[in-house]
Amino acid sequence: MRRALLVPLALAFLLGTARADHQQDNLRPLTAADLCPPVAYAYVDDEEQEDLAVALDEQLDRYATLYGVPYGDPKTCTVAQIFTLDAFKGRDGRMLYALDLSVQAVKPTRLTVGAHTFEASALELWSTSGYGSVSNVEGLADMAVDSVREYYEELALAWKATHRR
């Protein structure tokens, strides 16, 4: 049984690395003016948690400054940085959650693939995500605030790898 799990696990690590490199290249043509200030959204049982989102926004701004990821004017930027927490209470009473940090086009984007041209909405250029569980809502808030650093650090490393001075 363990041997059967080893091959898919090894492939997951290899595919994850390839995905990260490919996504990193998507950041290359962007400038600081293209990036919108990072923003967070938090939902628990499909209800928006504004206080938690504000706490997450503060952490995102803190790490954008700490890691030197510049961003442009919210009125003219073209690429959103979005951190999302989506959680719900499981059958066992634990809070199950999914976290996602993505960089995506703000407006629909015209794409040409071969001879076909089409418009794509919310085109995702880069992302990282994870999931897990915590014992209660308070633990969920603490975990989310703590996770911002890890997720934003990953974006900062990808940004800096494509925007060396």
Side-chain angles (χ1 to χ4, degrees):
M1 179 83 161
R2 286 186 189 177
R3 187 176 206 155
L5 292 175
L6 229 83
V7 172
L9 184 60
L11 286 174
F13 281 115
L14 291 173
L15 293 174
T17 303
R19 178 177 169 251
D21 290 344
H22 174 72
Q23 287 191 119
Q24 183 173 300
D25 286 341
N26 290 341
L27 300 176
R28 192 174 312 280
L30 300 177
T31 66
D34 291 322
L35 283 181
C36 297
V39 64
Y41 298 97
Y43 302 93
V44 175
D45 292 326
D46 292 327
E47 289 186 28
E48 190 170 5
Q49 305 296 307
E50 290 181 26
D51 291 343
L52 180 53
V54 168
L56 295 171
D57 281 337
E58 290 170 359
Q59 291 297 307
L60 285 165
D61 194 51
R62 175 181 174 205
Y63 290 117
T65 302
L66 178 69
Y67 294 128
V69 177
Y71 51 81
D73 184 336
K75 294 176 185 169
T76 58
C77 61
T78 59
V79 181
Q81 300 178 72
I82 303 169
F83 185 84
T84 306
L85 164 67
D86 195 9
F88 63 94
K89 194 173 215 172
R91 290 184 197 162
D92 62 357
R94 293 182 61 81
M95 297 301 299
L96 305 172
Y97 66 85
L99 295 171
D100 183 67
L101 176 60
S102 66
V103 174
Q104 55 186 259
V106 172
K107 296 179 181 174
T109 305
R110 187 169 287 296
L111 297 173
T112 302
V113 179
H116 304 286
T117 300
F118 56 95
E119 207 167 88
S121 298
L123 181 64
E124 188 170 275
L125 303 172
W126 183 94
S127 71
T128 187
S129 59
Y131 60 91
S133 70
V134 292
S135 59
N136 54 36
V137 174
E138 293 79 19
L140 180 68
D142 292 341
M143 176 282 309
V145 169
D146 291 344
S147 294
V148 169
R149 181 176 188 156
E150 174 188 344
Y151 283 71
Y152 207 82
E153 185 176 80
E154 194 171 331
L155 173 59
L157 289 170
W159 179 264
K160 288 183 179 203
T162 58
H163 293 84
R164 295 191 178 141
R165 294 177 192 216

